[in-house]
Amino acid sequence: ENYKASEFLWGKKTGVTPTESSVTITVQQAMSKLIVKLVAGNGYKEEDLSNAEVLICGLKTNATINLADGEVTATGNPIDITPMKKSSEYHALVVPQNVKEIDLIKVTIDERTFLLKKTIDFTSNKQYTCTITIDRSGQGINIGIDSWDIDDKDYGDQIGNI
């Protein structure tokens, strides 16, 4: 319900005189749409992602709309948005605004948190997709074991009885 209530459609028709015929007005979405897709990377399986918590962070959620031209202006303080889960994707309607190098998407899986820093110019009537590959080894210190350095010299020799 909140997702649907977030939409605002705007349209305008000029040069129309009063008549008994209907007037067709084509409307467009005033908001932007953001779709987040999670992909299992190193150390995760697709079923691990089914319980992920996804937040869209640091966006203004209030707006004023100029009814004469449909221009949307984001207002208020940035907050976090809980997107609507739709199958394996997360959908949110976003007030058009520019965001620069912010931690835009926060994904929590089994008490581990992953952040996606992004710059996006959200504009009206446009859909944006963020496909995020989640790697278990993507944070903290990862230790790998390197292969042995091989010394090509053979230190053996022929030995006899003592």
Side-chain angles (χ1 to χ4, degrees), residues 145-149:
I145 298 174
D146 201 2
S147 59
W148 291 99
D149 285 335

Side-chain angles (χ1 to χ4, degrees), residues 3 31-37 54-57 59 81 83-84 89-95 99 104-105 116 118 120 122-123 126-132:
Y3 179 83
M31 299 297 126
S32 299
K33 184 176 185 177
L34 177 60
I35 298 174
V36 177
K37 297 179 182 182
V54 176
L55 284 177
I56 299 168
C57 304
L59 296 181
I81 301 168
M84 176 182 72
E89 299 176 346
Y90 298 83
H91 294 231
L93 296 176
V94 174
V95 173
V99 294
L104 180 63
I105 299 172
L116 177 69
K118 276 299 182 199
I120 298 179
F122 290 106
T123 58
K126 286 198 178 179
Q127 176 177 296
Y128 303 84
T129 302
C130 289
T131 302
I132 304 171

Side-chain angles (χ1 to χ4, degrees), residues 128-139:
Y128 303 84
T129 302
C130 289
T131 302
I132 304 171
T133 302
I134 306 288
D135 288 331
R136 186 174 298 275
S137 60
Q139 293 188 346

Side-chain angles (χ1 to χ4, degrees), residues 24-40:
T24 301
I25 300 174
T26 302
V27 296
Q28 293 185 347
Q29 291 86 6
M31 299 297 126
S32 299
K33 184 176 185 177
L34 177 60
I35 298 174
V36 177
K37 297 179 182 182
L38 301 181
V39 176

Side-chain angles (χ1 to χ4, degrees), residues 20-162:
E20 290 185 22
S21 301
S22 62
V23 175
T24 301
I25 300 174
T26 302
V27 296
Q28 293 185 347
Q29 291 86 6
M31 299 297 126
S32 299
K33 184 176 185 177
L34 177 60
I35 298 174
V36 177
K37 297 179 182 182
L38 301 181
V39 176
N42 185 19
Y44 281 108
K45 298 177 187 166
E46 288 300 323
E47 58 264 19
D48 295 331
L49 303 182
S50 64
N51 294 325
E53 293 178 27
V54 176
L55 284 177
I56 299 168
C57 304
L59 296 181
K60 294 180 180 181
T61 58
N62 294 319
T64 59
I65 300 175
N66 182 328
L67 296 179
D69 62 10
E71 183 178 332
V72 180
T73 304
T75 62
N77 295 319
I79 64 169
D80 296 345
I81 301 168
T82 300
M84 176 182 72
K85 187 172 182 182
K86 191 174 185 180
S87 186
S88 63
E89 299 176 346
Y90 298 83
H91 294 231
L93 296 176
V94 174
V95 173
Q97 59 197 284
N98 297 325
V99 294
K100 294 184 182 188
E101 287 299 310
I102 67 166
D103 290 331
L104 180 63
I105 299 172
K106 178 181 177 182
V107 179
T108 304
I109 302 171
D110 298 328
E111 299 182 19
R112 292 192 70 191
T113 299
F114 303 88
L115 297 170
L116 177 69
K117 186 179 288 281
K118 276 299 182 199
T119 297
I120 298 179
D121 181 12
F122 290 106
T123 58
S124 294
N125 201 45
K126 286 198 178 179
Q127 176 177 296
Y128 303 84
T129 302
C130 289
T131 302
I132 304 171
T133 302
I134 306 288
D135 288 331
R136 186 174 298 275
S137 60
Q139 293 188 346
I141 299 173
N142 299 311
I143 299 174
I145 298 174
D146 201 2
S147 59
W148 291 99
D149 285 335
I150 306 293
D151 181 348
D152 289 330
K153 184 174 179 182
D154 186 342
Y155 291 92
D157 201 348
Q158 184 176 2
I159 58 174
N161 286 338
I162 300 181

